[in-house]
Amino acid sequence: MLGLIEIAVSALVLTVAGFTIGAIGFGFGLTTTPIMLLYLDPQTVVIVVNAVAVLAFGLVLVETRDHVPYRDLTPTAIAGALGAPIGVYALSELDPSALRIGISVLVLAITALVVVKTEWRVPRPKFTGPVLGFGVAALVTGLAIGGPLLVLFFLGRGMERQGVRASMAFFFMVMYVTALAGYFIQGLMTADRLLLTAATAPAVAIGYWLSVRLTGRMNEKVFRQAVVVVIAVTSTLVLAREVISL
């Protein structure tokens, strides 16, 4: 049974996550799971974070709908919808610790590549996009971690801030809707998890509203720097937590 303290702390954490999504368009799971795992079980954290993320990315999609490259992005989004059920299954069957470590190491390695080689470009994006979309969807729906890999893919294609935010929103909306259906089908969406989702959703909207007011004029250079910093810091925290827990 959830207590008021757990709900209040979750609301605060998800307010910050909503702000992060509004500012840079990703990082929802990475900014929430390290804290929420301190007082909630892993299944609840993943399911609730992914459920309220539907609202966050829906708000981004409404704001950036004119910047979505629908034709180029549709194959990647379809691949994400196909990968989501794998993550739903893994959530109830697999130990995520080793996978989290591997993901964090990979994210940090790709981040270093972006920092060192600012003109880095994705090879064969029409092929790598759907493959990456499938993998990211499985990771996010099962572990609530993996989004930065897709961000780095979009940055590697030379997208600007609004293009990255719009593409992430479109991809994740397709993926999260599929994942939520899977959670219900698998019986993972319990009454407590529904309650926590409903109670914290307004906090996500508030965080997003604050970000729009405060970061709307962020230039491209600052945006890319913020992306790299968020990826590096959050991935390092996740990696450190998993290594310490071994």
Side-chain angles (χ1 to χ4, degrees):
M1 185 69 179
L2 291 171
L4 290 177
I5 294 178
E6 287 88 349
I7 294 175
V9 173
S10 297
L12 179 60
V13 171
L14 289 167
T15 301
V16 175
F19 185 94
T20 303
I21 287 295
I24 63 175
F26 81 102
F28 202 85
L30 286 173
T31 55
T32 54
T33 53
I35 298 174
M36 293 178 70
L37 282 172
L38 296 175
Y39 59 91
L40 294 172
D41 66 273
Q43 276 195 355
T44 296
V45 172
V46 172
I47 292 168
V48 171
V49 166
N50 287 344
V52 295
V54 173
L55 171 61
F57 284 105
L59 292 171
V60 176
L61 189 58
V62 170
E63 179 194 347
T64 62
R65 59 189 179 277
D66 294 335
H67 298 274
V68 179
Y70 292 103
R71 177 177 296 181
D72 291 340
L73 193 58
T74 295
T76 301
I78 292 174
L82 295 175
I86 295 177
V88 173
Y89 173 79
L91 181 62
S92 59
E93 298 293 334
L94 301 178
D95 177 13
S97 182
L99 289 175
R100 281 196 178 113
I101 292 174
I103 295 165
S104 299
V105 171
L106 180 59
V107 168
L108 287 171
I110 298 176
T111 303
L113 176 63
V114 173
V115 172
V116 173
K117 194 173 182 181
T118 56
E119 296 302 319
W120 174 71
R121 288 292 182 268
V122 175
R124 300 181 63 188
K126 290 184 178 180
F127 172 77
T128 55
V131 171
L132 187 60
F134 183 90
V136 166
L139 294 172
V140 173
T141 54
L143 304 174
I145 292 175
L149 294 172
L150 198 61
V151 175
L152 294 171
F153 170 77
F154 291 140
L155 289 179
R157 296 197 65 184
M159 285 189 180
E160 296 182 348
R161 180 189 178 220
Q162 291 294 70
V164 172
R165 294 175 71 235
S167 297
M168 290 293 289
F170 180 73
F171 173 84
F172 278 114
M173 281 297 293
V174 174
M175 184 204 72
Y176 280 131
V177 169
T178 306
L180 283 179
Y183 294 150
F184 278 103
I185 292 172
Q186 288 289 98
L188 296 173
M189 187 62 82
T190 62
D192 274 354
R193 291 165 184 167
L194 279 172
L195 172 62
L196 188 57
T197 298
T200 55
V204 174
I206 291 172
Y208 181 84
W209 179 83
L210 289 173
S211 75
V212 171
R213 295 298 181 274
L214 298 177
T215 64
R217 297 183 180 180
M218 183 185 297
N219 63 40
E220 296 299 328
K221 183 178 180 180
V222 172
F223 169 70
R224 293 178 71 90
Q225 291 173 342
V227 166
V228 170
V229 169
V230 171
I231 291 175
V233 172
T234 54
S235 298
T236 301
L237 289 175
V238 172
L239 177 61
R241 187 192 70 233
E242 296 300 331
V243 171
I244 291 172
S245 66
L246 291 178

